[in-house]
Amino acid sequence: MVNIYFLAVLNFISTTMTHLISKTGVFFLAITLFFIPSWVAGEPINAFYIKEKLTFKLKWEVISAGEAILEVFPNQTINSIETRHFSMRVKTNKFVDIFYKVREQLDAYTDVDLQHSVLYTEKHIAGNTKKDLMVRFDWDHHTAQYINYGKKRKPITIRPGTFDPLSAFYFCRRADLYPGAVITRPVTDGKKTVSGRVAVIKKETITVPAGTFETYLVEPELKDVGGVFKKSKRAKIQLWITADSRRIPVKIKSRVVVGSFVGELTAVE
């Protein structure tokens, strides 16, 4: 999710933002591409509502880097299928824009029962790097196809209940979380599918700009994550989700060999 090398040298800001944003790809919030939580036993809860908007401030150590916004939009019909619509936008601030401007828009669509993905799109600009991709889910044939700027990759086989990275996070929010739970769910970015696995560590009260919250601390497994995480022996991603029925993410923190990245909730609408 984050591959930042910010040692007071402005040169490294570009590296920072490249991996902060592109691998922030959902939640980003570490949540990052392949290790998003999933289902636990118990009845699903109504954790979020249409028009929910969550705003987060992003920092690398003490350096302000930008913001991320998560939103739930009204249901939308895609190929005659009624879908839920989730969105995430990430952007660097004006200071970082001077050195390495990043803009990312992710949109995820699931069936209305939130049991699997239907469509995932990503528009990404980071310096000179651009992506305009989609992942189409074909549940008649149990495949997902990755398409970037119209160029199609060979479809990959997916398992029942597979999610894209963003919608997997919203699925997690409906789960019955409790200390000691271990959660798994298949997740794909259209290139490969992995078994996302996360452990619910404990309850913890934390304070962020949006307020003080009682939360569940969860930690995703990183064995399928490359980049700076693979190079860091003590790499860790931690996510704090409110312990009430809303299951709102309030803080995300990653620790790697070059330091810590933090995203904190600043506003709930």
Side-chain angles (χ1 to χ4, degrees):
M1 160 182 158
V2 180
N3 187 354
I4 305 174
Y5 214 125
F6 199 99
L7 297 177
V9 181
L10 297 180
N11 228 2
F12 289 144
I13 292 182
S14 61
T15 304
T16 296
M17 298 333 298
T18 299
H19 299 277
L20 159 68
I21 305 305
S22 66
K23 298 305 180 186
T24 278
V26 186
F27 198 15
F28 79 95
L29 283 182
I31 300 188
T32 355
L33 291 173
F34 304 117
F35 25 88
I36 315 270
S38 58
W39 174 256
V40 228
E43 291 297 320
I45 60 176
N46 293 318
F48 49 84
Y49 303 90
I50 290 174
K51 296 186 179 180
E52 176 190 77
K53 181 179 180 180
L54 308 176
T55 302
F56 299 83
K57 180 179 181 180
L58 309 179
K59 295 189 299 181
W60 179 252
E61 297 293 352
V62 296
I63 307 299
S64 177
E67 73 170 12
I69 297 175
L70 291 168
E71 290 190 78
V72 181
F73 290 110
N75 290 0
Q76 186 171 333
T77 300
I78 298 177
N79 296 328
S80 300
I81 300 173
E82 185 180 3
T83 66
R84 292 175 180 260
H85 181 191
F86 307 109
S87 174
M88 186 185 80
R89 302 190 304 275
V90 183
K91 66 177 182 180
T92 48
N93 58 30
K94 291 182 179 179
F95 172 69
V96 176
D97 280 352
I98 296 173
F99 308 97
Y100 202 82
K101 183 177 180 178
V102 176
R103 298 292 184 270
E104 187 164 42
Q105 169 83 41
L106 310 179
D107 288 279
Y109 304 84
T110 72
D111 65 306
V112 291
D113 293 327
L114 200 57
Q115 293 301 303
H116 58 241
S117 289
V118 173
L119 178 69
Y120 172 77
T121 66
E122 179 180 336
K123 294 182 183 295
H124 173 84
I125 298 174
N128 296 322
T129 301
K130 297 182 179 181
K131 289 192 293 184
D132 186 355
L133 65 86
M134 69 171 60
V135 180
R136 291 176 175 167
F137 292 78
D138 182 345
W139 288 105
D140 290 332
H141 299 91
H142 283 82
T143 61
Q145 186 171 44
Y146 177 100
I147 305 168
N148 189 22
Y149 282 109
K151 186 175 181 180
K152 300 179 180 180
R153 296 172 66 107
K154 183 179 179 180
I156 62 172
T157 300
I158 54 177
R159 287 170 279 167
T162 296
F163 283 104
D164 63 82
L166 181 55
S167 61
F169 172 67
Y170 281 92
F171 178 84
C172 174
R173 288 179 62 185
R174 300 179 74 227
D176 181 19
L177 303 180
Y178 55 89
V182 176
I183 311 164
T184 60
R185 188 75 173 193
V187 180
T188 186
D189 66 344
K191 295 181 179 179
K192 67 176 181 178
T193 301
V194 302
S195 292
R197 185 178 186 275
V198 69
V200 182
I201 306 301
K202 62 181 179 179
K203 271 190 173 183
E204 185 174 0
T205 300
I206 67 168
T207 299
V208 295
T212 298
F213 303 89
E214 184 177 14
T215 66
Y216 289 114
L217 168 61
V218 301
E219 295 183 3
E221 188 176 76
L222 301 181
K223 68 181 182 65
D224 291 312
V225 185
V228 72
F229 288 104
K230 190 172 183 178
K231 298 175 182 178
S232 305
K233 293 182 179 180
R234 297 182 180 180
K236 179 183 291 188
I237 291 177
Q238 297 174 302
L239 174 64
W240 287 262
I241 301 175
T242 60
D244 58 16
S245 62
R246 295 295 302 280
R247 297 288 195 265
I248 295 173
V250 297
K251 183 178 180 179
I252 174 72
K253 183 177 181 179
S254 68
R255 184 181 70 193
V256 290
V257 68
V258 294
S260 296
F261 162 83
V262 178
E264 293 184 326
L265 184 69
T266 60
V268 179
E269 300 176 35

